[in-house]
Amino acid sequence: MNLLLIVLSPLCFFTFKWLQTHYLKHSLCNPILLSIAFISVILVWSEVPYTEFATINTAYFWLLDLAIVALAIPLYKESRTIKQHTWRYILCSATGVLVSSIIAMLVAYLLGANEQLIASLAPNAVTTPIAIEVSNQLNGISALSAVIVICVGIFGAVFGLPLLKLFGLTHIPSQGLALGAACHAVGTARAIEVDEHMGAFASVSLVLSAILTPLIIPVIYTLIELVLLN
């Protein structure tokens, strides 16, 4: 049984990836989304606790670090262009962090969420390890933050580009910056699939957002806490 649980994740992903490439070309047929849904059904059906599944698949978390480092390859290829406009990209990424966090917290507040839930929603557009640390710092629920980050990433990978095109944003570097800022690693992976040039700028935004989020979010949360939550 343990062997089956170990091979389940890569088997699902590569199967759905192959199906998407050859048959299911619609953006809704995202291999990550389909893999999560299929594995969830298998775990419920076999009555395997998620904690047991996660423990058995610990090695994949180590591989995740290598996957993040691999995103530096397209970043390096566009390094000359990136150096010329570094401050613009920092400003864009900072704006993305601010807007995503403020909107999430305000909507949660208006819907009657408690302080802990609002803190959990604050780091919603950054890679999962950073989101967990920031959530812990704000006394939020780190597990909930991780789930929200994954959902945001999948939503962005599926609907991000169609929405950008709907609003007339067709400039490839801008599309990459938007996907990286809003949808972190999943959005960046999607950008690389579409266009390597786009993926490079998504990598820039991903890295800058990861740096800026721990600096910006605690300050913004403290201000909102003083104004709205007290």
Side-chain angles (χ1 to χ4, degrees), residues 7-22 31-32 35 60:
V7 301
L8 183 60
S9 294
L11 181 63
C12 287
F13 177 81
F14 287 114
T15 299
F16 288 124
K17 180 65 178 176
W18 181 83
L19 288 173
Q20 183 191 45
T21 303
H22 293 88
I32 297 177
S35 296
Y60 294 130

Side-chain angles (χ1 to χ4, degrees), residues 1-9 43 48 52-53 56-57:
M1 185 63 178
N2 286 357
L3 180 61
L4 177 61
L5 293 177
I6 291 173
V7 301
L8 183 60
S9 294
L43 293 181
V48 175
E52 180 182 342
F53 177 77
I56 293 172
N57 289 277

Side-chain angles (χ1 to χ4, degrees), residues 15 49 67 72 83 112 125 128 139 149-150 155 182 185 201 208-209 215 220 225-226 228:
T15 299
K83 288 178 182 178
T128 304
N139 296 318
V149 165
I150 293 171
F155 182 88
F201 287 93
L208 290 175
S209 296
L215 300 176
I220 298 301
E225 189 177 33
L226 290 172
L228 298 177

Side-chain angles (χ1 to χ4, degrees), residues 137-184:
Q137 183 180 347
L138 302 179
N139 296 318
I141 306 170
S142 59
L144 178 59
S145 298
V147 171
I148 291 168
V149 165
I150 293 171
C151 291
V152 169
I154 293 175
F155 182 88
V158 175
F159 299 106
L161 283 176
L163 284 173
L164 290 173
K165 292 177 181 177
L166 179 65
F167 289 100
L169 187 60
T170 57
H171 186 238
I172 286 180
S174 299
Q175 290 178 335
L177 288 170
L179 286 175
C183 315
H184 47 86

Side-chain angles (χ1 to χ4, degrees), residues 7-222:
V7 301
L8 183 60
S9 294
L11 181 63
C12 287
F13 177 81
F14 287 114
T15 299
F16 288 124
K17 180 65 178 176
W18 181 83
L19 288 173
Q20 183 191 45
T21 303
H22 293 88
Y23 300 105
L24 308 174
K25 297 185 181 296
H26 196 278
S27 59
L28 284 173
C29 301
N30 184 277
I32 297 177
L33 176 61
L34 295 178
S35 296
I36 290 174
F38 185 81
I39 291 172
S40 299
V41 171
I42 293 296
L43 293 181
V44 171
W45 174 74
S46 59
E47 298 183 351
V48 175
Y50 174 76
T51 51
E52 180 182 342
F53 177 77
T55 301
I56 293 172
N57 289 277
T58 302
Y60 294 130
F61 292 98
W62 303 336
L63 295 176
L64 181 61
D65 294 335
L66 298 177
I68 296 298
V69 172
L71 295 175
I73 296 174
L75 183 63
Y76 172 76
K77 291 181 178 179
E78 298 291 339
S79 59
R80 181 176 298 179
T81 303
I82 292 167
K83 288 178 182 178
Q84 294 174 352
H85 306 287
T86 302
W87 286 107
R88 293 183 183 180
Y89 301 144
I90 293 175
L91 179 60
C92 289
S93 299
T95 302
V97 171
L98 282 169
V99 171
S100 63
S101 178
I102 290 173
I103 289 177
M105 288 190 286
L106 287 180
V107 170
Y109 171 78
L110 293 174
L111 292 175
N114 60 35
E115 188 172 340
Q116 190 177 36
L117 181 56
I118 293 174
S120 304
L121 290 168
N124 63 82
V126 69
T127 55
T128 304
I130 302 295
I132 289 173
E133 290 301 321
V134 173
S135 181
N136 286 332
Q137 183 180 347
L138 302 179
N139 296 318
I141 306 170
S142 59
L144 178 59
S145 298
V147 171
I148 291 168
V149 165
I150 293 171
C151 291
V152 169
I154 293 175
F155 182 88
V158 175
F159 299 106
L161 283 176
L163 284 173
L164 290 173
K165 292 177 181 177
L166 179 65
F167 289 100
L169 187 60
T170 57
H171 186 238
I172 286 180
S174 299
Q175 290 178 335
L177 288 170
L179 286 175
C183 315
H184 47 86
V186 181
T188 301
R190 174 59 180 159
I192 292 173
E193 287 181 0
V194 175
D195 185 282
E196 190 171 303
H197 187 57
M198 183 190 300
F201 287 93
S203 298
V204 172
S205 191
L206 168 71
V207 172
L208 290 175
S209 296
I211 295 171
L212 294 169
T213 293
L215 300 176
I216 294 176
I217 298 303
V219 176
I220 298 301
Y221 177 76
T222 301

